[in-house]
Amino acid sequence: MIKKLLFSFSLLIAANAFAQEQATISTNLQDAKTTINRNIYGMFSEHLGNGIYGGFWVDKNAKVPKVGRIRMDVVNALKKIDIPNLRWPGGCFADEYHWMDGIGDPAKRPKMVNTNWGGVTEDNSFGTNEFMELCKLLNTEPYVSGNLGSGTVKEMSNWVEYMNFDGVSPMTKLRKEDGRDKPYDVRFFAIGNESWGCGGNMTPEYYSDLFRQYATFTKSYKGAPLRRIASGANADDYHWTDVCMRDIPLNLMWGLSLHYYTIPTGNWGKKGSATNFTEAEYFNTMKNCLKMEELVTKHAAVMDKYDPQKKVALVVDEWGVWTDPIPGTNPSFLRQQNSMRDALIAATTLNIFNNHADRVRMANLAQTVNVLQSLVLTKGDDMLLTPTYYVFNMYKVHQDAKLLPLKISVPEYKNGDESIPAVNASASVDSLGRVHITLVNLDANNDITVSADLEGENHSSISGQILDSKNLTDVNSFSNKNLVITKKFDGAKMKQHTVTVTLPKHSVVCLEIK
């Protein structure tokens, strides 16, 4: 076992032919005490557009590998990246979803209107049991969002009983009639979603009172201690966080959520194109992405006032880039392409979450298939993996590893009169003593040379992976599925205690040091 390890990373950028800027990152293995909770790498799938229907759940006559109507090529791709949890059924949809409409004989289930996402008809063929089967096939943990906005206390209480109780009761009887004898043992359960907006347009004081009431009647059953997650703030609404932390007893609340989307333009009315943008627009997008660092820091500080022992998790259960939809598609279906820029957003955001692992213990990318910053796009019987998918595949090494806190000073990436940090990073050590460092170069124009001095025990090997592409606008398409994929990276060299590596412009690199 490595006793002590000291990294001193010198990041050098050529400012011109005669001068260089220098930046440093340092860490000590003795400080590796906080676990990066694997649930930070969670996913989100809502009844929205083709996220469920046409994504995970296909027509019975579709010519793709299936279990029932669950699409297995998508499932198998996601299994490879070890997604730890899947959030469902929403989103805004959650607070108009009545779970009993989605159980029993699919042919007899009532239909409903999905008022939030296009006014389309929801046939409820994908309900609780289908979702649980999907989670089983994915080998992932279910995270269920309960209906606070238009539901009742009894309805929510009954849903938890249906999923988790193993004794004799009306809800257990219903579950067994649906073909499931044993309970599902769901642990993660949200009480409402975006209660400040589509979940009810509530004040934080009113929501906190409702949470206390609903939480009282959502019970923990044997084998399934319920981790209740409160509907937290929209972006920088620190007042919402303050009221919830003040008014909700900490023993009722496992986590408090936070939602923040990277909007390229910063304008919700005209968000910007996913594939056609200038360097200035790219810079502004990354500046907005980096705001997550400020949000997590400040919300955590509010939580610390009431919870200095950090018992309550900050759950960022909706995050990602949100652009204008693909032209010609239903604008309410939120289908967007996924570029090299979006991979940099994902990698940067995950680095932020890793570095705040003392408080951020769960997060969910929005969304998994065909919606927003998805990992998978489908088109009929065909599918592809997006650049964001490959980021999650690289970063899975951090799951449940010990965080190596970084002291970091980096060069600036400048655009006009503005600047942002050119490099961000996170590092961890796993149970086998392997050190993983994920580095992101946001600079659109310059490669960055990293010199890493490792003091402590000798290391025998270094290897790496890289995700990059010629253009920031590059995407994987159905005519070219492998334009932006991870490749073996041989650009890192080790000599005694020194590692040198050059990060190509706008790239993501993951190093493994043994």
Side-chain angles (χ1 to χ4, degrees):
M1 180 66 182
I2 302 171
K3 299 298 183 183
K4 183 177 181 181
L5 182 64
L6 178 66
F7 294 105
S8 178
F9 295 86
S10 299
L11 281 73
L12 308 174
I13 292 186
N16 52 53
F18 307 100
Q20 289 183 328
E21 290 184 82
Q22 180 174 330
T24 60
I25 302 173
S26 63
T27 188
N28 191 316
L29 191 63
Q30 290 184 336
D31 295 329
K33 299 174 182 177
T34 301
T35 298
I36 298 174
N37 195 312
R38 67 192 310 269
N39 286 301
I40 285 172
Y41 290 82
M43 295 293 145
F44 171 36
S45 283
E46 182 171 4
H47 288 239
L48 194 174
N50 299 123
I52 298 292
Y53 299 99
F56 282 120
W57 191 247
V58 294
D59 186 89
K60 62 182 179 180
N61 296 318
K63 292 178 170 50
V64 293
K66 302 184 298 297
V67 171
R69 290 175 58 184
I70 295 173
R71 183 170 180 157
M72 290 306 296
D73 54 351
V74 172
V75 167
N76 290 331
L78 294 172
K79 282 179 69 176
K80 292 178 181 178
I81 62 172
D82 299 333
I83 65 172
N85 68 79
L86 182 63
R87 180 175 179 246
W88 171 87
C92 291
F93 181 79
D95 281 291
E96 66 177 10
Y97 179 69
H98 299 282
W99 70 272
M100 292 193 74
D101 293 343
I103 63 170
D105 183 352
K108 298 179 180 179
R109 295 178 190 178
K111 294 178 173 60
M112 62 175 286
V113 180
N114 190 335
T115 63
N116 285 288
W117 304 118
V120 297
T121 298
E122 161 68 54
D123 70 2
N124 281 310
S125 61
F126 187 91
T128 301
N129 295 291
E130 290 78 16
F131 172 66
M132 296 300 171
E133 177 66 14
L134 173 61
C135 288
K136 177 183 176 182
L137 293 170
L138 286 167
N139 192 29
T140 196
E141 190 161 6
Y143 170 19
V144 174
S145 294
N147 181 348
L148 179 71
S150 66
T152 65
V153 174
K154 180 180 181 181
E155 180 182 14
M156 189 180 291
S157 176
N158 283 348
W159 199 7
V160 175
E161 181 183 319
Y162 177 91
M163 294 186 292
N164 287 355
F165 186 52
D166 197 24
V168 177
S169 79
M171 295 302 107
T172 301
K173 183 174 182 290
L174 270 180
R175 187 185 69 238
K176 291 184 176 182
E177 288 172 354
D178 290 336
R180 174 73 182 192
D181 183 59
K182 291 296 180 182
Y184 291 111
D185 295 339
V186 173
R187 293 191 304 157
F188 296 113
F189 191 86
I191 297 180
N193 167 78
E194 293 190 359
S195 299
W196 39 264
C198 63
N201 285 305
M202 303 174 190
T203 64
E205 292 82 4
Y206 182 68
Y207 171 75
S208 295
D209 283 345
L210 282 183
F211 179 94
R212 293 161 68 113
Q213 179 187 9
Y214 278 64
T216 300
F217 293 97
T218 51
K219 305 293 185 178
S220 288
Y221 295 101
K222 184 179 180 181
L226 207 62
R227 294 182 169 182
R228 302 175 192 87
I229 296 168
S231 177
N234 177 26
D236 58 359
D237 186 352
Y238 303 111
H239 174 66
W240 186 282
T241 297
D242 190 272
V243 171
C244 288
M245 291 300 296
R246 182 194 70 200
D247 291 355
I248 297 174
L250 299 186
N251 66 320
L252 288 180
M253 175 173 54
W254 180 84
L256 179 65
S257 74
L258 168 66
H259 290 181
Y260 176 70
Y261 287 93
T262 295
I263 308 299
T265 63
N267 180 352
W268 281 88
K270 182 65 176 174
K271 302 177 184 70
S273 172
T275 56
N276 183 18
F277 50 86
T278 64
E279 183 182 347
E281 290 168 328
Y282 160 73
F283 178 90
N284 194 60
T285 303
M286 299 317 300
K287 181 181 70 173
N288 293 339
C289 167
L290 287 166
K291 186 177 174 64
M292 183 68 83
E293 171 70 33
E294 174 189 328
L295 295 174
V296 169
T297 300
K298 290 186 175 181
H299 282 290
V302 174
M303 296 174 76
D304 286 347
K305 284 198 310 178
Y306 302 97
D307 177 28
Q309 295 180 327
K310 303 183 187 296
K311 294 180 179 179
V312 178
L314 182 58
V315 178
V316 191
D317 56 13
E318 287 190 32
W319 69 271
V321 61
W322 193 329
T323 69
D324 294 333
I326 295 174
T329 63
N330 187 327
S332 296
F333 282 11
L334 307 186
R335 186 180 177 100
Q336 64 189 47
Q337 248 295 0
N338 195 292
S339 68
M340 184 64 220
R341 176 187 68 176
D342 302 335
L344 295 167
I345 290 170
T348 297
T349 304
L350 291 172
N351 278 341
I352 292 170
F353 293 160
N354 288 344
N355 289 326
H356 288 273
D358 61 335
R359 183 63 83 173
V360 179
R361 297 198 285 277
M362 191 173 192
N364 300 81
L365 176 71
Q367 296 186 10
T368 316
V369 186
N370 289 333
V371 176
L372 298 176
Q373 190 173 351
S374 56
L375 304 183
V376 179
L377 294 175
T378 66
K379 182 181 179 182
D381 295 339
D382 205 358
M383 63 163 282
L384 65 81
L385 305 176
T386 70
T388 295
Y389 174 94
Y390 292 101
V391 169
F392 274 81
N393 196 37
M394 294 170 73
Y395 274 57
K396 66 186 179 184
V397 294
H398 289 307
Q399 291 187 23
D400 288 337
K402 295 291 185 182
L403 174 69
L404 287 170
L406 302 177
K407 294 180 180 179
I408 183 167
S409 174
V410 300
E412 293 181 338
Y413 165 38
K414 297 181 179 179
N415 188 268
D417 295 331
E418 295 188 289
S419 64
I420 59 175
V423 172
N424 62 80
S426 66
S428 66
V429 56
D430 68 15
S431 60
L432 299 177
R434 297 173 299 191
V435 173
H436 294 100
I437 310 160
T438 45
L439 297 154
V440 182
N441 179 6
L442 297 180
D443 197 307
N445 305 300
N446 296 297
D447 298 349
I448 299 178
T449 299
V450 181
S451 175
D453 296 324
L454 282 64
E455 295 182 3
E457 191 165 316
N458 292 331
H459 294 82
S460 60
S461 68
I462 184 169
S463 59
Q465 298 179 76
I466 186 169
L467 184 70
D468 68 347
S469 197
K470 181 179 178 180
N471 304 302
L472 283 160
T473 54
D474 285 346
V475 302
N476 293 334
S477 66
F478 286 97
S479 60
N480 187 357
K481 297 180 181 180
N482 297 314
L483 182 59
V484 189
I485 61 173
T486 45
K487 301 178 287 290
K488 183 179 179 182
F489 182 66
D490 295 321
K493 305 298 181 184
M494 181 184 297
K495 185 177 181 180
Q496 295 180 335
H497 297 292
T498 301
V499 173
T500 56
V501 57
T502 298
L503 306 177
K505 62 183 180 182
H506 52 74
S507 68
V508 183
V509 169
C510 178
L511 300 179
E512 179 176 274
I513 303 165
K514 297 181 181 179

